[in-house]
Amino acid sequence: MIRCLIADDSRFFRTYLRELLASTPGIEVIAEAASGEEAVSLALLHKPHVVTMDLYMRGKGGLAAIREIKRSTTASIVVISGFADRLGSDDFPSHPEISNLVIIEKPRASEEAESLSAQAELIRNAVRSAAVSALEPLAPAEGLKPSAITHQPPLCIGIVASTGGPEALEQIFRQLPATFPIPIMVVQHIAHGFSQRLSQRLLSTSNLVIHVARHGERLMPGNVYVAPDDAHMSVWGGRIRLSLEPEINGLRPSGTALLSSIAKQYGRLGVGVILTGMGNDGITGLKLLRERGAPTIAQGPKSSVVFGMPRVAIESGAAQHVLELSDIPGALLQLAAKGQVAQAQ
């Protein structure tokens, strides 16, 4: 049983979280805190596996409370904040005790039922994943040992492709059902002005909802978000962020920017996929995903139009699984159902 402590100064939201988590099999809410000081005291007293933490509370703020809890207990932290979509990496000091935080935006009562349901499932899965980290810490990433199996469906999939990518993406998305429960973010290197045409082409042969990503939109199940022309795409607080920050290795959008953000936001509940293409874009982000326990996939040589990016992913140890194109849709479906990929033979 996962022991969870809720910390939030809103009585209404504590009630919402208590009812949500207490009704989830395998999760027990052991205490509630209305301030940072109370969160620290209750964490020391009850030794929870997971603490859900608001950042802006009266008295001791959430960040200060997180530092103390991480120093004094083995609890994992899931931040659930009404300001998650406004936060950036600059808001968090460079400190090992508060690194690798999963940050989720608070659901709003004004949102549609589908969005509220998606947020509820995001919170449940984040707590489950955080508990795995608390109960079974990952071994050091030296040598990139195989990731621990979480048996929890991922929260986000990132795909990076270049030459031959449009055809590969079309084949993958054609085989995924409209009910596919995981949002997918795509960086495809393509000539300027063709992102919209690519998304329309993919939409015409798929049951998924596929469109060019918009800044600030919430990630939703069954949706594919294609990076727009000349903008980096990342995820923060369950929403898309687009930026005009400098090119990375001459590229914008950059696959590394996308996959790194998924690794930092979701840890082992992210997924990284490198498809056909030349160069090495996305490899640094894929390696970070694997280091944090997430499944990572590279397209195999037989089906790659250009076996460049996948080869670097494999040789660098960033790719945990090497799958030919025909096997990738099945692997993604397996992840959605079981939270793991069967080992390639």
Side-chain angles (χ1 to χ4, degrees), residues 8-315:
D8 198 290
D9 60 1
S10 165
R11 179 180 298 177
F12 172 82
F13 193 69
R14 290 199 307 274
T15 300
Y16 167 81
L17 273 184
R18 181 179 67 249
E19 293 177 353
L20 172 67
L21 296 176
S23 65
T24 303
I27 299 178
E28 175 189 11
V29 177
I30 57 170
E32 299 175 31
S35 68
E37 290 89 348
E38 193 174 6
V40 173
S41 297
L42 291 175
L44 291 172
L45 176 64
H46 294 289
K47 300 295 190 293
H49 299 128
V50 181
V51 180
T52 67
M53 179 74 71
D54 190 11
L55 288 183
Y56 301 103
M57 295 185 288
R58 60 179 179 271
K60 188 190 299 290
L63 283 176
I66 288 169
R67 291 193 196 97
E68 292 193 31
I69 291 171
K70 295 295 286 182
R71 275 198 296 264
S72 306
T73 76
T74 59
S76 293
I77 307 293
V78 175
V79 172
I80 307 177
S81 171
F83 299 94
D85 60 334
R86 306 178 199 173
L87 295 172
S89 58
D90 292 342
D91 295 285
F92 296 90
S94 178
H95 197 295
E97 293 170 345
I98 59 172
S99 63
N100 305 338
L101 292 177
V102 173
I103 302 172
I104 299 172
E105 186 179 4
K106 280 185 178 180
R108 294 183 174 92
S110 59
E111 295 189 73
E112 295 180 357
E114 182 184 9
S115 180
L116 288 172
S117 177
Q119 279 294 93
E121 192 60 25
L122 182 67
I123 292 170
R124 292 190 187 99
N125 284 339
V127 169
R128 293 187 187 112
S129 175
V132 172
S133 299
L135 293 168
E136 184 185 340
L138 285 176
E142 181 181 353
L144 288 177
K145 298 178 181 179
S147 60
I149 295 175
T150 68
H151 300 288
Q152 294 298 330
L155 300 182
C156 184
I157 296 171
I159 301 179
V160 183
S162 187
T163 309
E167 293 78 13
L169 292 167
E170 189 172 340
Q171 183 170 330
I172 292 169
F173 297 153
R174 187 189 298 127
Q175 298 181 58
L176 299 181
T179 55
F180 190 70
I182 309 168
I184 302 173
M185 304 175 74
V186 175
V187 165
Q188 166 66 56
H189 302 153
I190 198 167
H192 187 80
F194 280 83
S195 294
Q196 184 64 41
R197 294 187 193 182
L198 173 64
S199 66
Q200 291 172 348
R201 168 184 170 179
L202 296 174
L203 178 63
S204 70
T205 60
S206 172
N207 292 314
L208 301 172
V209 178
I210 303 175
H211 62 278
V212 175
R214 298 180 296 272
H215 182 73
E217 67 178 315
R218 186 188 297 283
L219 295 181
M220 297 292 291
N223 280 243
V224 177
Y225 305 88
V226 178
D229 296 329
D230 201 29
H232 291 309
M233 178 172 68
S234 60
V235 58
W236 191 269
R239 291 184 182 270
I240 288 175
R241 281 198 165 185
L242 302 178
S243 78
L244 297 178
E245 293 177 3
E247 296 177 349
I248 299 176
N249 295 327
L251 295 169
R252 189 174 64 196
S254 159
T256 282
L258 170 63
L259 297 184
S260 295
S261 77
I262 293 174
K264 293 172 183 176
Q265 176 75 114
Y266 297 121
R268 68 176 73 205
L269 282 193
V271 177
V273 182
I274 299 289
L275 298 179
T276 173
M278 63 180 64
N280 62 359
D281 187 37
I283 306 307
T284 301
L286 193 75
K287 188 173 183 179
L288 184 59
L289 274 165
R290 186 165 184 192
E291 287 174 345
R292 299 196 177 185
T296 56
I297 298 169
Q299 185 176 348
K302 295 179 181 178
S303 58
S304 293
V305 174
V306 177
F307 190 56
M309 287 159 45
R311 177 182 57 77
V312 177
I314 296 164
E315 292 180 353

